[in-house]
Amino acid sequence: MILAAMPFAYAYHIRAQKKRGDQPSSLYTFIGKHLPKIQCACLTVINFVTRVYDGMKRSDSFRRFFTIITLLVLLVFQYVDFHVASNVAHNVRLAFENSAEKNVENIAEMKAWLHYFTKPHATMLGVCLSLMFFSFRLANNILTRLHNNNRIYCLVGLVTMCIAILTTRWFIIAETFTIILMAAYIYPNKRPIENPKGRKTIPTHERNKTKMLYRKAA
């Protein structure tokens, strides 16, 4: 959608310049004119992403935020694929109903359409995989296991490639695995909070003794 909107936005900019009587600018002059704004927007996005990534190393709130974003991306892909499959099935049904004779050309055309029709079993399986990310504990375990185990990561990647190449009607499963693998690749391990200036923490049994002494004194 962004790539499709860019030519229209640039054409609208040139049309506005012609109405004002200004000399139309090229793409390079347009980027150079708005370069400070573009750099400021890029720095804002980079700082936000860096803050979230650093927060994921020490806080469950940031990790839960990342799993929610992953879940939303999965649901968007499921939603788009479901509507595409529904439209394809609707068009195929209308073509068969409107045709008086089911000739060879009509059947060949319908077979070409059916390659883009996702199987209901694939849709249900993709929904089940997406629903697992509603649980933060389960999503955290899945992403952490994929991030730390290279064998499982490569095995899931190989299965994803086989599904994408061999079975086009199960392509939504390949897309779901791809999103999960991308999320697991950048999902960091949770690190303990470091003590300032390298100081050692007080052992647990010493803290318990101190608490008991305070209670007796009170």
Side-chain angles (χ1 to χ4, degrees), residues 52 56 62-78 126 129-136 139-140 142-143 146 175-188:
V52 172
M56 288 167 59
F62 286 94
R63 298 170 80 86
R64 186 175 286 105
F65 173 75
F66 182 79
T67 56
I68 291 174
I69 295 298
T70 306
L71 173 63
L72 291 177
V73 174
L74 289 171
L75 292 178
V76 167
F77 272 83
Q78 297 287 339
L129 292 173
S130 301
L131 289 178
M132 290 192 300
F133 280 77
F134 275 97
S135 173
F136 168 68
N140 184 44
I142 292 172
L143 295 179
L146 288 173
E175 292 178 346
T176 304
F177 283 158
T178 302
I179 295 170
I180 294 175
L181 289 176
M182 291 173 62
Y185 182 79
I186 61 178
Y187 196 73

Side-chain angles (χ1 to χ4, degrees), residues 107-149:
I107 295 175
E109 184 180 356
M110 293 306 104
K111 287 184 178 180
W113 274 100
L114 287 176
H115 287 293
Y116 300 96
F117 178 70
T118 305
K119 289 188 175 182
H121 302 289
T123 303
M124 293 300 298
L125 181 58
V127 171
C128 292
L129 292 173
S130 301
L131 289 178
M132 290 192 300
F133 280 77
F134 275 97
S135 173
F136 168 68
R137 183 178 299 178
L138 185 59
N140 184 44
N141 291 335
I142 292 172
L143 295 179
T144 304
R145 183 67 61 87
L146 288 173
H147 180 79
N148 294 329
N149 197 322

Side-chain angles (χ1 to χ4, degrees), residues 10-25:
Y10 186 65
Y12 177 78
H13 175 72
I14 294 178
R15 186 177 299 175
Q17 284 185 340
K18 288 182 178 179
K19 288 182 179 180
R20 293 194 303 265
D22 301 336
Q23 185 177 1
S25 60

